[in-house]
Amino acid sequence: MANIKIHFLGAAGTVTGSKYYLETPVMNIMIDCGMFQGLKELRSQNWQPLPIQADKIGIVLLTHGHLDHTGYLPRLVKEGFKGQIIGTAPTLSITAIILRDSAKIHEEEAEQANKMGYSSHDPALPFYTLREAERAIDLFQAEEKDQWVSLSDTIKYRFRFNGHIIGATFIELEILGKLFVFSGDIGRKVDALMDAPERPQWADFLFLESTYGNRLHPQENVEEIVIGLVERTIHEKGQLIIPSFAVERLQSLIYLFWNLYKKNRIPNIPIYVDSPMGNNVLSVFENYPQWHKLSMSEYKAMCNHVNIITSYADTWKTIDDPRPKIVIAGSGMITGGRVLTYLNQLIDEPATTVLLVGYMAEGTRGRQLLEGAHELKFFGKYHPVKAQVAHLESLSAHADQQELLDWLKEIKNIPERVFLIHGEPTALDAFRTKIRDSYRWNVHIPKLYEVVEIVI
């Protein structure tokens, strides 16, 4: 018999900060290494050292490149981790882009906070620097999907395609003959850019995301809604501002607007893409065509249809341009990024429309807008919200409750335990009940920093 300890170091009782640490008799493994976002009490956890020894971790396996799954990597290295960080090639490309961009934002925000004096810390420090991000990137090693990779005589893993974003996978990790399955973030059955996720056939211990564990995506007519927003923007001589994640969401939006124009459903309204990170992600789509649905001709046509902003000076030129326009800018939940520069100038204009796309986590400005906030705080000041706020939930890259249940259908055995992760409390509780009613499986909702011991 052998004991395996599982440490839930993130995305336990919340949707951010995915980090799972497995202590085994042979080696110690971390699955994902994300940073917390959203609520202040969660973000403050980022600054606390992990309750484990980073130098004892043998390897980190990444499901995909999003910040809430990778953003703690530079801190992990700073705390002493020296092993390999492994993912698929596009996942590591995305992660490198996100870490570099995040580091620059941390450095710029610290500099601005010190200059304007609105931080409670003196001096304000970046969460990590570009140099620290590069130290983590130096540890990257790519592996192919669908191929078992041995870490020892008794431990092996493989990556399986999972939709969601380019490069995303779920991880099958076999330890001493038992199969641990980490779902990562599960994509949609029908997606403009990604194929449907593959499904696991066996799982002794299942770690299952629950972002939409209590909801079904609405049956929205996305094209008609977007057409209406474009028509309003033109009629009001306003601006349609879309906060967007740089990975998959931004590319999906570009594809959507290009498709509508190609079908003569919208006029040739100027479209600006202002996300340095998103621009870099477009090159990942070009470098890994086998990971998405677009042909190269479609990819080039949709990129040529938009104006890609490459400098901060061009950001201000775009803001000063009085013509009606569409602006797609980072970040998706309005937690930072270029979109704040646009909102700083335009959120108090009734002719402005802010279109929120997908999931808005607790504590983010996106969630505040969604819930009808009359003002938003950023750059140390409160800004009145006079813009119209719209929401498209069906463009989410996350599976909804029914799609999550369908993802489980091909599992042939009864898992010994199912751990529900990456969800807010109401979603976790509703999904636990649904799984028990549907499959009669043993479901556990771990708490943050809980340690579960498994005897094999």
Side-chain angles (χ1 to χ4, degrees), residues 212-245:
Y212 283 97
N214 61 338
R215 280 182 280 175
L216 301 177
H217 292 311
Q219 298 298 310
E220 300 170 314
N221 189 326
V222 172
E223 291 194 352
E224 292 302 324
I225 292 171
V226 169
I227 289 167
L229 294 175
V230 171
E231 289 175 347
R232 177 186 186 273
T233 299
I234 294 170
H235 182 261
E236 299 286 335
K237 297 181 173 61
Q239 321 287 316
L240 175 56
I241 300 174
I242 310 176
S244 176
F245 297 112

Side-chain angles (χ1 to χ4, degrees), residues 243-254 357-359 395-397:
S244 176
F245 297 112
V247 188
E248 207 272 339
R249 182 69 45 73
L250 183 142
Q251 293 78 32
S252 294
L253 288 166
I254 294 173
V357 182
Y359 187 79
L395 283 183
S396 172

Side-chain angles (χ1 to χ4, degrees), residues 57-60 62 73-74 76-78 80-87 92 99 132-142:
I57 303 171
I59 201 166
V60 176
L62 301 178
L73 286 169
L76 191 73
V77 174
K78 190 174 183 178
F81 174 71
K82 295 182 176 64
Q84 294 174 329
I85 299 168
I86 300 178
L92 296 182
L99 292 184
E132 289 167 341
E134 293 294 347
R135 287 181 61 203
I137 293 167
D138 286 342
L139 301 177
F140 286 4
Q141 177 180 312

Side-chain angles (χ1 to χ4, degrees), residues 148-153 155-157:
W148 285 103
V149 179
S150 294
L151 298 176
S152 74
D153 291 341
I155 299 178
K156 62 181 180 179
Y157 70 90

